[in-house]
Amino acid sequence: MPRHIYERHYVNRAGWLRAAVLGANDGIISVASLLTGVAAAHASSRQMLQTGIAGLVAGAMSMAAGEYVSVSSQADSERSDLERERRELESDEAAERAELAGIYVQRGLKPALAREVAVQLMAHDALGAHARDELGLSSQHRAQPLMAAGASAASFAVGAAWPLLLLSLAPAGMLLPVIFLGALLSLSILGALAARAGGAQMLSGAVRVSLWSALAMSLTIGIGFALGALT
């Protein structure tokens, strides 16, 4: 009996990895930028804490709402395409079988074999075969709005909690540099780990995230200093 060979494919991680990294990155960058900006404007620790908590809650809810609306729209499109495909199968199954066979011919099968594959797959699950091979849909990758919203909110909140922890641990006179450097360090580590999980180079992932994060925080710090000078 032939032994099954397990192959690791990084592309299978793309969906959840992107969502988790995006949420955590947004959480760290958003709240760290808020805190460093108000610190530069000479806000007190209490004001910074209130700002950070408000940013965490608002950001998490914004991520959840945006992800829910986006994925719901995708789910609506998927349902509409499946319903249209179901009607076409009921009205003209022969044409749909020929269409499916044509897809397999384009992928490299000989016409006779493509027709046989189409016949057998449609006999097993006609709608599933067309959903997978014509529409590019599968049960593993169907849009799930509530799950996507919850995952985005949770990952944002986890990321946003880190700058708040740095705020609570930093000495009073070192709030801005501790939050800036601590957030930058965590973001570079997160970028490196995400790159490794996706099969890319860790250094390039860390550098890419660090540069954009430093730019975002630097801009808010500059604005904070400017506003602080006016008051």
Side-chain angles (χ1 to χ4, degrees), residues 44-81:
S44 66
S45 297
R46 181 180 179 83
Q47 290 172 326
M48 291 177 63
L49 180 61
Q50 293 171 339
T51 300
I53 293 174
L56 185 155
V57 174
M61 294 307 298
S62 175
M63 289 285 289
E67 195 73 10
Y68 181 83
V69 170
S70 174
V71 178
S72 293
S73 297
Q74 179 185 342
D76 291 341
S77 297
E78 291 177 0
R79 282 192 295 268
S80 176
D81 285 341

Side-chain angles (χ1 to χ4, degrees), residues 184 187-188 204-218:
L184 200 60
L187 285 162
S188 65
S204 62
V207 170
R208 180 170 57 243
V209 173
S210 298
L211 286 176
W212 284 102
S213 303
L215 176 62
M217 288 188 286
S218 297

Side-chain angles (χ1 to χ4, degrees), residues 89-168:
L89 283 168
E90 292 174 353
S91 63
D92 196 347
E93 184 175 342
E96 290 299 302
R97 188 181 299 111
E99 182 181 22
L100 195 60
I103 292 173
Y104 298 143
V105 169
Q106 292 176 358
R107 293 179 181 177
L109 295 184
K110 293 182 178 180
L113 180 57
R115 286 192 295 272
E116 180 62 24
V117 170
V119 167
Q120 293 193 24
L121 287 178
M122 287 185 64
H124 173 69
D125 181 6
L127 183 60
H130 281 270
R132 181 181 59 253
D133 294 324
E134 182 182 349
L135 303 177
L137 303 177
S138 68
S139 58
Q140 290 84 3
H141 298 94
R142 290 282 172 82
Q144 301 182 54
L146 286 175
M147 182 178 293
S152 294
S155 59
F156 183 97
V158 169
W162 174 241
L164 290 173
L165 180 61
L166 293 173
L167 171 63
S168 66

